[in-house]
């Protein structure tokens, strides 16, 4: 039998017996080819009613990222506010700036053991509900604070809630969506971080005109906006079909897949493909049923490799130097000669807007270019930009000419000042186009369902632990050695380029279950040919071909 018309490439053909003992030509393909087969047999329809609903549900999930972006960016804006600094006796750099801002990361670290019970035990929707609800409570405490301990307590609770919501949100988005759109929508999730940071920067800029305590309390209260929308909306959305399936709600999982992925057709290749993979690859009695059981993350070499890839991406996204430009941009701008509060607020707002635009661009490229090329480009470009920032800032500081009558420092090299400012914007662009879209998507993709919630908890732990270093080390470093801090980022980003190249695998073009092929032993799918029919077993369908 010779196959003349194929919708997928042939790996090999073997002669194997069927149930009647008759030998048939059998085509051996892997999961990636099964995905492509389903894609060609039933092209996804992005404007179908079911898919439009999925877009709407994803938008609610995106608000977990928006909420995180607002909360995470707020401290930078507060440290630019003179009334806030006077109220709590802090500056925009130094040890106290690190302590005030680090309570957010401490809350995220303490939340680690609670992520799996919330997200695995009660479902992705309830996980978002619990996390967002805690953020609302933390906002109330912080908004009414009149002393540093009360303010820090609110920051702690905010970090605790965001850690749970930030695990549940991306998991929900990638698990509920059609496999053809998982990459773009999963990448889009983290870009919405900038919508929160833009609102924080814009509100902070406007509040400076108000003056007094209201200039910082108003923007603090706005933290409850996105979390409140999540609390009111998430329980109206369908649950993740994977979570339903492994919790013995298979009929409900089939119903959701049929309605939203198969557009009402229970025989859709996409429905059959995913249900078959759920049956074959999801563990019905896995560690996700035991909140205390973390062995699944470490019991095999493949599991440890998955976790390493996930944590590496989480840490690298925090240590590229972006933290200084997120939390302590005010201090960075000081080293470049931009010290006025209004001037700094304007720069922060413009930088957030352009980062948002480049992050969206990057999200649209993850399935076209791939994850690895985007990461390699971004980390390489960050290395070059920090080198330029180091040179420009050193030249600017070297041009110091003394102080004027008001005690303000005077510098002669204004070209270096402008070059340093340009580097801030260039860094935001190259970081956002590759790293930002993949910070939430990639850790979720490389983790199997059984280990996903616990693995994401560890990834969030890595993010917050890396953030703790950022909060304590960089403000002190900026205070003590100024622009020389950028040398560290230059060297470390170069190291990260090598690690990404050697360690992180590509994940595009597969369903979540088919990604097991990268980490586990090969599980080929057999498709038999007889006369003029080819059985596509994963999709449960028949493809007409021509024989000799």
């Amino acid at each position: 039998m010779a196959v003349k018309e194929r919708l997928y490439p042939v790996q090999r053909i073997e002669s194997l017996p069927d149930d009647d003992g008759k030998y048939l030509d059998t085509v051996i393909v892997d999961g990636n080819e099964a995905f492509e087969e389903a894609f060609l047999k039933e092209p996804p329809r992005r404007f179908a009613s079911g898919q439009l609903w999925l877009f709407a549900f994803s938008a609610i999930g995106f608000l977990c990222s928006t909420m995180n972006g607002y909360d995470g960016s707020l401290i930078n804006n507060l440290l630019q506010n003179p009334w806030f600094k006077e109220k709590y006796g802090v500056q925009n750099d130094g040890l106290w700036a690190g302590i005030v801002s680090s309570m957010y990361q401490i809350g995220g670290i303490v939340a680690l053991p609670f992520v799996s019970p919330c997200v695995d035990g009660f479902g992705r929707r309830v996980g978002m509900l619990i996390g967002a609800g805690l953020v609302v409570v933390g906002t109330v405490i912080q908004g009414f604070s009149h002393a540093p301990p009360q303010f820090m307590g609110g920051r702690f609770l905010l970090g605790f809630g965001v850690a749970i919501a930030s695990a549940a949100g991306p998991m929900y988005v990638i698990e509920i969506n059609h496999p053809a759109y998982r990459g773009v929508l999963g990448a889009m999730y983290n870009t919405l971080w900038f919508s929160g940071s833009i609102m924080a920067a814009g509100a902070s800029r406007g509040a400076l005109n108000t003056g007094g305590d209201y200039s910082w309390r108003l923007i603090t209260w706005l933290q409850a906006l996105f979390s409140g929308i999540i609390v009111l909306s998430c329980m109206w959305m369908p649950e993740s079909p994977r979570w339903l399936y492994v919790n013995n709600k298979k009929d409900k999982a089939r119903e959701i897949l049929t309605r939203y992925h198969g557009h009402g057709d229970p025989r859709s290749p996409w429905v059959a493909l995913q249900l078959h993979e759920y049956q074959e690859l999801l563990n019905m009695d896995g560690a996700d049923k035991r909140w205390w059981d973390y062995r699944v993350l470490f019991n095999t070499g493949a599991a440890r490799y998955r976790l390493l890839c996930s944590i590496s991406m989480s840490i690298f996204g925090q240590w590229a130097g972006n933290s200084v430009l997120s939390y302590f941009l005010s201090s960075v701008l000081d080293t470049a000669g931009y010290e006025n509060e209004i001037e700094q607020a304007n720069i922060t707002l413009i930088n957030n807007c352009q980062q948002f635009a480049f992050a969206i661009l990057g999200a649209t490229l993850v399935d076209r270019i791939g994850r690895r090329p985007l990461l390699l480009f971004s980390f390489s470009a960050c290395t070059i930009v920090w080198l330029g920032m180091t040179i420009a800032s050193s030249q600017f500081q070297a041009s110091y000419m003394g102080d004027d009558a008001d005690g303000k420092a005077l510098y002669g090299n204004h070209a270096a000042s402008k070059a340093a400012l340009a580097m801030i914007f260039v860094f935001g662009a190259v970081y956002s186009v590759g790293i930002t879209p993949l910070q939430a998507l990639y850790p979720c993709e490389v983790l199997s369902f059984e280990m996903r919630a616990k693995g994401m908890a560890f990834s969030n732990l890595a993010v917050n632990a890396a953030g703790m270093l950022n909060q304590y080390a960089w403000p002190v470093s900026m205070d003590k050695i100024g622009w020389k801090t950028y040398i560290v980022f230059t060297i470390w980003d170069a190291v990260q380029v090598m690690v990404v190249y050697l360690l992180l695998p590509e994940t595009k073009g597969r369903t979540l279950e088919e990604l097991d092929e990268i980490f586990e032993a090969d599980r080929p799918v057999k498709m038999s040919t007889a006369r003029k029919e080819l059985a596509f077993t994963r999709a449960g369908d028949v493809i007409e071909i021509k024989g000799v």
Side-chain angles (χ1 to χ4, degrees):
M1 177 76 68
V3 180
K4 296 183 179 179
E5 290 187 2
R6 305 298 296 275
L7 298 181
Y8 50 83
V10 178
Q11 283 192 325
R12 64 185 186 275
I13 298 179
E14 298 178 4
S15 182
L16 299 176
D18 63 9
D19 294 337
D20 299 326
K22 181 180 180 181
Y23 278 80
L24 305 172
D25 287 342
T26 301
V27 178
I28 308 297
V29 299
D30 60 22
N32 187 28
E33 291 165 358
F35 177 92
E36 295 298 331
E37 186 68 37
F39 193 99
L40 290 170
K41 291 178 65 218
E42 186 177 295
R45 294 178 287 161
R46 69 181 62 184
F47 297 113
S49 60
Q51 187 57 53
L52 291 176
W53 276 111
L54 289 179
F55 290 153
F57 302 146
S58 297
I60 301 300
F62 291 163
L63 291 181
C64 293
S65 182
T66 303
M67 174 179 70
N68 190 7
Y70 191 99
D71 297 345
S73 300
L74 182 62
I75 194 65
N76 174 61
N77 293 286
L78 291 178
L79 290 175
Q80 295 175 3
N81 186 301
W83 295 279
F84 174 82
K85 291 189 288 186
E86 180 182 357
K87 175 76 175 180
Y88 293 110
V90 298
Q91 298 299 318
N92 60 10
D93 53 20
L95 183 59
W96 273 105
I99 293 175
V100 169
S101 58
S102 66
M103 294 305 297
Y104 187 79
Q105 278 70 32
I106 294 173
I109 292 173
V110 174
L112 169 64
F114 300 93
V115 172
S116 179
C118 293
V119 180
D120 275 338
F122 300 110
R124 304 342 188 191
R125 298 180 306 168
V126 176
M128 289 192 288
L129 176 66
I130 293 172
L134 289 171
V135 169
V136 172
V137 176
T139 299
V140 172
I141 295 173
Q142 187 173 283
F144 282 118
S145 67
H146 288 280
Q150 188 179 3
F151 182 84
M152 291 181 186
R155 295 291 296 170
F156 174 88
L157 201 55
L158 285 168
F160 193 102
V162 165
I164 298 175
S166 294
M171 290 169 65
Y172 179 83
V173 170
I174 71 166
E175 289 181 4
I176 195 69
N177 269 292
H178 193 290
Y181 300 116
R182 183 198 79 238
V184 172
L185 290 171
M188 197 68 70
Y189 171 88
N190 208 49
T191 67
L192 270 293
W193 191 94
F194 288 112
S195 65
S197 67
I198 288 170
M199 179 168 285
S204 299
R205 169 63 181 84
L208 288 174
N209 296 326
T210 303
D213 272 5
Y214 285 110
S215 66
W216 64 267
R217 289 193 188 276
L218 287 174
I219 60 177
T220 297
W221 278 104
L222 274 176
Q223 288 175 296
L225 174 62
F226 305 113
S227 53
I229 294 174
I230 295 170
V231 168
L232 295 175
S233 305
C234 64
M235 296 309 294
W236 296 95
M237 305 187 301
E239 183 54 85
S240 159
R242 290 171 176 81
W243 186 87
L244 292 170
Y245 192 93
V246 300
N247 283 276
N248 295 310
K249 299 179 181 180
K250 298 180 181 180
D251 291 340
K252 186 64 176 177
R254 180 188 295 272
E255 177 186 333
I256 290 174
L257 289 174
T258 299
R259 179 176 180 182
Y260 297 109
H261 293 190
H263 308 298
D265 181 8
R267 299 184 61 189
S268 165
W270 291 109
V271 175
L273 170 62
Q274 292 177 89
L275 286 175
H276 178 81
E277 291 178 337
Y278 292 178
Q279 179 181 355
E280 292 293 320
L281 300 172
L282 294 183
N283 189 346
M284 300 299 291
D285 190 32
D288 54 295
K289 309 297 189 305
R290 301 179 294 276
W291 65 267
W292 46 267
D293 188 358
Y294 284 80
R295 291 173 298 178
V296 68
L297 301 178
F298 310 102
N299 57 7
T300 66
R304 292 190 291 272
Y305 180 37
R306 287 174 182 264
L307 183 63
L308 178 62
C309 291
S310 177
I311 291 177
S312 296
M313 183 64 218
S314 299
I315 292 177
F316 289 180
Q318 295 295 311
W319 283 356
N322 54 300
S323 57
V324 171
L325 300 183
S326 295
Y327 296 105
F328 307 109
L329 179 59
S330 176
S331 181
V332 174
L333 291 174
D334 285 348
T335 68
Y338 300 91
E339 299 179 355
N340 179 268
E341 295 90 3
I342 299 297
E343 193 174 46
Q344 290 189 357
N346 289 338
I347 291 172
T348 300
L349 179 58
I350 296 171
N351 188 41
N352 284 333
C353 290
Q354 68 103 15
Q355 285 182 280
F356 189 23
F358 277 97
I360 292 174
L361 172 63
T364 64
L365 298 176
V366 293
D367 281 337
R368 298 180 183 181
I369 297 177
R371 282 60 160 166
R372 276 173 52 85
L374 279 175
L375 288 175
L376 289 170
F377 167 77
S378 284
F379 282 118
S380 299
C382 287
T383 303
I384 297 171
V385 170
W386 276 122
L387 178 60
M389 184 70 171
T390 301
I391 296 172
S393 297
S394 66
Q395 293 298 309
F396 177 74
Q397 293 296 322
S399 68
Y400 174 71
M401 299 185 301
D403 297 340
D404 62 12
D406 297 325
K408 184 177 180 180
L410 298 175
Y411 297 91
N413 195 338
H414 298 292
S417 172
K418 294 178 181 179
L421 180 61
M423 289 298 170
I424 292 174
F425 285 95
V426 174
F427 177 89
V430 298
Y431 178 93
S432 299
V433 78
I435 301 172
T436 296
L438 295 174
Q439 276 185 291
L441 171 63
Y442 195 84
C444 281
E445 285 187 326
V446 297
L447 296 168
S448 67
F449 180 89
E450 185 181 3
M451 61 190 303
R452 189 165 293 141
K454 293 183 175 71
M456 286 299 291
F458 268 82
S459 291
N460 283 332
L461 172 65
V463 167
N464 286 293
M468 286 287 290
L469 174 64
N470 293 335
Q471 301 292 359
Y472 281 106
W474 305 135
V476 176
S477 179
M478 292 297 297
D479 184 36
K480 300 298 184 183
I481 63 174
W483 63 266
K484 295 178 183 177
T485 303
Y486 310 148
I487 299 174
V488 178
F489 299 142
T490 304
I491 297 172
W492 180 245
D493 281 348
V495 172
Q496 292 184 151
V497 172
M498 295 304 300
V499 174
V500 169
Y501 180 78
L502 296 173
L503 177 67
L504 301 188
E506 183 58 70
T507 59
K508 74 169 184 176
R510 293 172 170 86
T511 66
L512 288 175
E513 283 66 42
E514 287 167 357
L515 289 173
D516 288 343
E517 297 168 354
I518 299 175
F519 302 98
E520 308 287 354
D522 186 33
R523 297 185 180 93
V525 182
K526 295 180 179 179
M527 300 192 293
S528 299
T529 59
R531 297 180 182 174
K532 297 193 176 185
E533 290 183 342
L534 174 65
F536 184 37
T537 57
R538 276 201 174 183
D541 208 343
V542 174
I543 304 169
E544 182 177 352
I545 65 170
K546 292 182 179 179
V548 176

